[in-house]
Amino acid sequence: MKAPFATLSTLCLGTSLATAALSFTGSPVNQTFTGFDGNSAPLGWDAFGFSSGSGFSENRGLSTGGVSTGGTYAFDLGGSNIALGVQPIASDFTPGYYELEITNNSASTLNGIILSFDGYFLNDQDRSNSLSLSTSTDGSSFTPVSGATFTSPSDQDSSGWTLGLSHSSTVAAIVPVGGSFFLRFTGDDVGGAGSRDEFAIDNVTFSAIPEPSTPLLCGLTLCAFTRRRR
Ligand SMILES: [Ca+2]
Ligand SMILES: [Ca+2]
Ligand SMILES: [Ca+2]
């Protein structure tokens, strides 16, 4: 129920905790978080599962990691490579999620999505946590993406930021023009004890499976429009 909440908060508070959706116009989207400073929501992203409330409500700014205060960070993974990051604590992100909404503003229905992301962890504490990707076309019913989960080790080490998973897959989703596609990255406790490791998401890409030469399902209006563009 993201859109109604954003609308309500805009009306009541004069500000929106969630940001507008990212726009897909036909060219691949690649979100690298360059310029993200950890003080407000990146474009298209929402957050849930923080003790201070929905939206990006616990923004901790820029850090290279090794923090202890729960909340959202712009983590510098090294060499000024910024990622969307989180320090989970008992009351934050256990469980919780970050969610990216992408609206299809291209001229065609999307008949399948190609997506990828890189997930990192900083194993500086003795608990084990996970991060998992699921997707949706309505923002309420989510389906886990096969192979898109990774877990940090329980026993801490000094390895620093570690690539937990570099994932890419195709998702059989149909997104009409004006419709949205949602990527939800959910975190939770897995094992171990004590404080929690840090996590970061980077290089989130989104593109459409190229259209077949003869669309199997399309109305006359869409077919005519599609032909005009070619
Ligand atoms: Ca980055
Ligand atoms: Ca920490
Ligand atoms: Ca750990």
Side-chain angles (χ1 to χ4, degrees):
M1 295 297 103
K2 178 176 173 180
F5 178 78
T7 303
L8 185 64
S9 65
T10 302
L11 290 172
C12 297
L13 304 175
T15 183
S16 174
L17 294 176
T19 62
L22 265 184
S23 178
F24 177 76
T25 58
S27 302
V29 169
N30 183 9
Q31 197 161 43
T32 62
F33 297 100
T34 300
F36 174 53
D37 65 4
N39 291 315
S40 59
L43 179 63
W45 290 83
D46 203 350
F48 191 83
F50 292 87
S51 58
S52 56
S54 299
F56 278 75
S57 54
E58 294 186 24
N59 302 305
R60 309 302 185 197
L62 187 65
S63 170
T64 54
V67 297
S68 57
T69 303
T72 297
Y73 293 80
F75 279 138
D76 181 344
L77 305 179
S80 298
N81 176 21
I82 304 299
L84 171 61
V86 61
Q87 168 67 72
I89 60 173
S91 57
D92 291 334
F93 212 69
T94 52
Y97 61 76
Y98 293 111
E99 187 174 297
L100 174 62
E101 179 179 0
I102 299 173
T103 299
N104 178 17
N105 289 322
S106 75
S108 308
T109 294
L110 310 183
N111 294 298
I113 306 300
I114 305 169
L115 52 82
S116 67
F117 74 95
D118 293 330
Y120 295 83
F121 60 78
L122 180 63
N123 178 30
D124 65 343
Q125 301 295 332
D126 287 336
R127 199 181 284 267
S128 167
N129 280 60
S130 64
L131 194 69
S132 303
L133 172 65
S134 57
T135 63
S136 173
T137 53
D138 63 10
S140 60
S141 177
F142 282 78
T143 302
V145 176
S146 179
T149 296
F150 69 100
T151 304
S152 68
S154 51
D155 293 349
Q156 64 182 270
D157 61 42
S158 55
S159 298
W161 283 111
T162 301
L163 180 64
L165 179 67
S166 186
H167 176 83
S168 63
S169 61
T170 58
V171 176
I174 295 176
V175 185
V177 173
S180 285
F181 187 80
F182 301 82
L183 293 86
R184 178 179 288 185
F185 295 87
T186 301
D188 204 356
D189 293 340
V190 173
S195 296
R196 293 161 177 85
D197 304 326
E198 292 151 39
F199 284 76
I201 302 162
D202 200 10
N203 304 320
V204 181
T205 71
F206 174 97
S207 59
I209 294 175
E211 290 177 77
S213 55
T214 303
L216 296 176
L217 292 171
C218 72
L220 288 174
T221 303
L222 177 59
C223 290
F225 188 65
T226 303
R227 286 200 188 94
R228 272 207 308 278
R229 295 182 62 243
R230 286 174 176 163

